[in-house]
């Protein structure tokens, strides 16, 4: 009664097979979760699988869209943070969703997914505030994966595609500054 034990590191990895890592990380084993949607009046293609990547942030945008509501800019004279997500309604009829990229930051782990590319990085343990300065975001901290060919993230292509790696790292930094993920609070 005085303790709590989760199922541990080995089972965490096994339960996410074939993907790398587990919850806490931003590799596929930590973030890949199916979404099951039921909406008889809006989803006519029942039982069909879609492969369009989406994010938890898309749920609010979808609810606002389906309700034909508008997302407020203020509440009781307080500014509300704008929605980040995209409505998933278009994926209910076709497997397509237009967006620049998806971004993650969780406990120092960071990722960005743009089209078929996904860029992933774990925290720099020598300097936990490693992203306070843009120059500290060195390309060797990032791993680049082609998610169409390598969804299990086994083949790091960062050195083969330094231009894509650099572009996506810059995109992540701009996003992180805009949403307040940097400088990272300790």
């Amino acid at each position: 009664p005085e303790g709590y034990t989760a199922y541990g590191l080995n089972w965490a990895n096994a339960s996410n097979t074939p993907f790398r890592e587990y919850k806490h990380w931003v590799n596929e084993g930590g973030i890949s979760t199916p979404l099951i949607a039921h909406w008889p009046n809006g989803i006519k293609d029942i039982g069909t699988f879609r492969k369009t990547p989406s994010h938890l942030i898309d749920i609010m945008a979808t609810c606002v869209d389906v309700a034909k509501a508008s997302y407020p800019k203020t509440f009781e004279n307080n500014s509300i943070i704008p929605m980040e997500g995209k409505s998933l309604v278009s994926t209910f009829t076709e497997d397509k969703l237009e967006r620049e990229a998806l971004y993650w930051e969780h406990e120092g782990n960071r990722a960005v997914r743009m089209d078929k590319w996904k860029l992933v990085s774990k925290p720099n343990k020598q300097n936990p505030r490693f992203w306070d300065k843009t120059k500290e975001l060195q390309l060797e901290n990032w791993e680049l994966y082609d998610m169409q060919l390598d969804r299990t993230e086994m083949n790091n292509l960062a050195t083969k595609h330094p231009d894509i790696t650099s572009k996506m790292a810059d995109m992540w930094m701009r996003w992180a500054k805009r949403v307040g993920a940097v400088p990272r609070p300790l």
Side-chain angles (χ1 to χ4, degrees):
E2 292 84 26
Y4 170 77
T5 304
Y7 66 9
L9 179 64
N10 294 331
W11 281 111
N13 278 302
S15 68
N16 290 319
T17 301
F19 300 128
R20 271 183 71 200
E21 300 294 0
Y22 48 89
K23 298 303 178 198
H24 165 76
W25 306 108
V26 292
N27 291 89
E28 288 298 282
I31 64 170
S32 183
T33 304
L35 169 68
I36 299 170
H38 176 74
W39 181 29
N41 292 335
I43 302 173
K44 304 298 182 202
D45 206 4
I46 296 171
T48 301
F49 288 94
R50 303 289 192 223
K51 295 185 179 188
T52 299
S54 61
H55 195 292
L56 181 64
I57 60 174
D58 298 326
I59 301 298
M60 172 63 83
T62 304
C63 290
V64 169
D65 185 18
V66 167
K68 302 213 183 315
S70 59
Y71 189 79
K73 294 186 185 206
T74 62
F75 180 73
E76 295 183 358
N77 296 321
N78 294 306
S79 294
I80 295 176
I81 297 170
M83 276 193 300
E84 288 284 319
K86 299 282 187 182
S87 173
L88 298 174
V89 170
S90 68
T91 65
F92 299 155
T93 56
E94 58 182 300
D95 205 0
K96 189 174 186 177
L97 183 62
E98 299 293 327
R99 76 165 89 229
E100 175 198 40
L102 286 169
Y103 299 90
W104 291 266
E105 188 285 324
H106 179 69
E107 296 182 5
N109 302 296
R110 53 205 168 128
V112 58
R113 171 128 184 214
M114 179 181 69
D115 301 321
K116 71 175 189 170
W117 299 107
K118 183 176 173 193
L119 196 67
V120 179
S121 181
K122 294 179 179 176
N124 178 336
K125 294 186 190 319
Q126 284 74 42
N127 180 5
R129 297 184 64 90
F130 68 99
W131 56 41
D132 283 350
K133 300 177 191 89
T134 304
K135 65 183 178 183
E136 291 181 19
L137 278 171
Q138 298 172 6
L139 296 183
E140 62 265 15
N141 293 332
W142 291 99
E143 299 171 3
L144 179 68
Y145 300 100
D146 180 333
M147 300 305 284
Q148 287 177 348
L149 300 175
D150 182 23
R151 179 104 191 273
T152 55
E153 300 169 312
M154 301 304 289
N155 186 21
N156 180 3
L157 302 172
T159 57
K160 279 188 170 182
H161 299 284
D163 52 332
I164 295 170
T165 302
S166 179
K167 175 184 176 179
M168 291 178 72
D170 289 344
M171 288 170 61
W172 187 91
M173 180 55 81
R174 284 193 307 277
W175 168 82
K177 286 180 179 177
R178 182 176 56 76
V179 301
V182 296
R184 181 172 180 250
L186 294 176

